Amino acid sequence: MQSLAATSRHRELTQELFNIGDEVAQYLENLAQAVADWDQELAEDCLVELEEIVADARLDARRIHAELAGLRTALTSGIASGSMSLESVEAPQVAPPVIMTAASLRDRFPILNTPVIVGELSQSLNARTELVEEYLLHVVDWVLAYTEYGARDLDAVRLPKLYEQAGQFAAEAVQAWIEVVAAAHGAYTRSMRGNNPPEFLAERARIAEVVARVAQKKRQTAGEYAG
């Protein structure tokens, strides 16, 4: 009975680690959508949200890792020895991100002519924005792959560090985009905003609507009982 409880708890905690990685990845995707829509203000808001999520993720991952390590010891060599066997896990084939800077974006997609040729300007700014979006989605893949790796092999990845680095990579990339696109070429950025409405905003609006309806129904029910 004790062994079954430990095994069940082990599954729950492992799933919690996956959930943490999923949540960090979701907020990274939100950030990528904000950049894809050329929305500097929304991107800055998403960065603040991501910072909060990463802070929570680091604390939760550290706590869960400690409990999981104890359970795995019990299930493989302790009082419940033999209840679980550990299989070797191969490292993911997702390359770690390289820090993106304003200088690297300028070097990759320069704007050379003075005065600026409109076609060249739009081509470079579009390319810079697309690269930042792709970069953020790569960070998403990296987080998901290494969260799974770390959840299956507790000695392989320091998940709190993983989430901290993911937040840093994302912040550097978005600040670089703001510097060389949104702030440097505000008129063009504003003209592009709204072409790729972020899906997560629509989902948030839908959830808010549902919550509002439920709250209204509760108020109506309370009023009926009061009457």
Side-chain angles (χ1 to χ4, degrees):
M1 188 70 178
Q2 188 176 11
S3 175
L4 287 174
T7 302
S8 177
R9 181 60 177 160
H10 179 274
R11 284 197 298 267
E12 291 174 3
L13 290 172
T14 302
Q15 184 59 52
E16 283 189 42
L17 285 182
F18 281 108
N19 293 344
I20 290 170
D22 287 346
E23 186 171 33
V24 172
Q26 181 60 65
Y27 280 83
L28 286 165
E29 288 180 352
N30 293 352
L31 189 55
Q33 290 179 27
V35 170
D37 196 38
W38 301 73
D39 193 329
Q40 177 182 347
E41 183 178 352
L42 180 59
E44 290 171 337
D45 289 344
C46 287
L47 275 180
V48 173
E49 291 181 343
L50 178 63
E51 183 178 357
E52 295 173 353
I53 290 300
V54 165
D56 289 342
R58 294 182 66 200
L59 289 174
D60 291 342
R62 191 175 293 113
R63 171 183 57 79
I64 293 170
H65 181 280
E67 187 175 349
L68 262 178
L71 279 173
R72 289 191 183 179
T73 298
L75 289 169
T76 55
S77 60
I79 57 173
S81 178
S83 300
M84 186 183 82
S85 61
L86 295 180
E87 299 179 359
S88 60
V89 183
E90 293 187 3
Q93 300 302 307
V94 181
V98 176
I99 291 176
M100 180 175 288
T101 65
S104 65
L105 278 174
R106 288 193 185 99
D107 290 344
R108 182 81 177 271
F109 304 107
I111 300 171
L112 301 175
N113 291 295
T114 304
V116 174
I117 299 173
V118 174
E120 179 189 349
L121 174 68
S122 62
Q123 184 176 12
S124 293
L125 295 182
N126 290 351
R128 291 174 181 180
T129 300
E130 289 171 5
L131 181 62
V132 172
E133 180 192 7
E134 292 171 4
Y135 176 88
L136 292 171
L137 293 177
H138 176 73
V139 179
V140 169
D141 292 340
W142 180 66
V143 165
L144 292 174
Y146 276 86
T147 291
E148 180 176 0
Y149 186 34
R152 298 190 186 283
D153 185 346
L154 296 179
D155 297 323
V157 181
R158 291 174 55 201
L159 291 178
K161 185 64 175 178
L162 173 75
Y163 303 137
E164 179 185 24
Q165 290 179 321
Q168 291 171 345
F169 287 138
E172 291 277 357
V174 173
Q175 292 299 338
W177 175 78
I178 290 173
E179 180 178 339
V180 303
V181 177
H185 303 279
Y188 184 79
T189 299
R190 287 189 294 272
S191 73
M192 294 294 289
R193 181 176 172 179
N195 288 324
N196 296 296
E199 293 180 4
F200 78 91
L201 288 182
E203 179 62 15
R204 286 185 180 181
R206 186 190 67 79
I207 293 172
E209 184 180 350
V210 170
V211 171
R213 286 203 303 267
V214 171
Q216 183 180 13
K217 187 173 182 179
K218 285 182 178 179
R219 288 194 297 269
Q220 290 173 344
T221 302
E224 290 172 1
Y225 283 121

